[in-house]
Amino acid sequence: MPAFSASPFDIGYGLQPGIPGYSFGALSNIVDNTNAFVTNVALTSNVATVSLKLRDGAIPVVNQLISIQGTQTASGAFNVTNVAIASVSGFASGDNSVGTVTFALTHANVSSTPDSGQASAPPLETGDTLTPTVATSGRAFALAPVNVLGNARSIAWRVSFPSTPPSSSFEADLMGSIKQSGPYFKLDKITSVSGGTQTYTPLAQINFVRIDVVTNDAATAIVGTVCI
């Protein structure tokens, strides 16, 4: 997502309830979820290996968050929700291609076992690369009018790092303003180098929000979203 611009010629973006806006980073709107059938499972040293036959969508990739349901082996131990894929192998094409994915799973070893179930993984987010020690403002979004959402508007905002997180020093601020061009003032902050998710209930007169990275000690890719 392009960085913040106060230019009146810049395209303006508004937030729709329940749909995240990417102040930093992006999520492709032309790539479908990866959906597949489970055919086999195994687990060694807390690493699960699951064989999949693609039903539709893109071939899975490393770091996609996979969810599995319906398997029976080891009392359903392989049924997981939003676990990062560690490795991918074997897939050669799109629909009906067969391959394997691995992910971390803490459980006793399980020998290779035929199984059935369903797997799904949403497209992988991509981050915007930040320059160390340089404060950066993300894209701003307009909020829907109070009479549409009511007086109890709240903003869920999230910061994450698709690859390498900052090492020891990081702060991202949720910023608010009456006008798109500013001035903006701090509403909330996230300082964990692991990122995080928080919810803020703004004052009625806040019409625009964005995420600012004010402290960052390493070159890293960041995803920052806001949602009402």
Side-chain angles (χ1 to χ4, degrees):
M1 182 64 70
F4 171 74
S5 171
S7 170
F9 300 105
D10 189 29
I11 297 175
Y13 294 87
L15 291 178
Q16 300 182 45
I19 301 177
Y22 283 76
S23 191
F24 288 102
L27 178 66
S28 174
N29 60 3
I30 60 173
V31 178
D32 292 332
N33 284 8
T34 297
N35 297 305
F37 298 110
V38 175
T39 61
N40 199 88
V41 297
L43 191 148
T44 302
S45 301
N46 295 328
V47 176
T49 301
V50 177
S51 298
L52 301 175
K53 181 176 182 179
L54 288 184
R55 189 179 73 207
D56 53 60
I59 291 174
V61 296
V62 171
N63 290 328
Q64 257 185 301
L65 299 180
I66 191 169
S67 296
I68 296 173
Q69 66 176 13
T71 63
Q72 302 295 318
T73 302
S75 300
F78 292 85
N79 296 331
V80 297
T81 301
N82 293 333
V83 176
I85 295 174
S87 68
V88 178
S89 63
F91 297 97
S93 60
D95 295 358
N96 299 318
S97 179
V98 177
T100 60
V101 299
T102 67
F103 52 86
L105 179 62
T106 302
H107 191 277
N109 287 355
V110 176
S111 58
S112 182
T113 305
D115 206 339
S116 61
Q118 300 182 68
S120 183
L124 190 64
E125 295 176 318
T126 57
D128 289 329
T129 300
L130 299 177
T131 302
T133 73
V134 176
T136 307
S137 297
R139 177 170 290 282
F141 293 92
L143 301 180
V146 173
N147 59 1
V148 174
L149 297 178
N151 290 324
R153 293 186 300 183
S154 62
I155 301 170
W157 67 294
R158 172 179 63 95
V159 170
S160 61
F161 307 101
S163 52
T164 304
S167 57
S168 62
S169 178
F170 176 79
E171 180 180 331
D173 295 337
L174 179 67
M175 307 293 289
S177 177
I178 297 175
K179 300 185 298 182
Q180 181 175 358
S181 58
Y184 283 80
F185 53 94
K186 183 191 298 189
L187 306 174
D188 199 4
K189 68 179 180 179
I190 292 174
T191 58
S192 171
V193 294
S194 299
T197 300
Q198 296 184 178
T199 301
Y200 177 80
T201 302
L203 301 174
Q205 64 265 30
I206 296 173
N207 297 321
F208 292 87
V209 292
R210 73 185 190 205
I211 296 175
D212 283 5
V213 174
V214 296
T215 304
N216 177 50
D217 62 2
T220 186
I222 184 176
V223 172
T225 65
V226 288
C227 185
I228 54 174

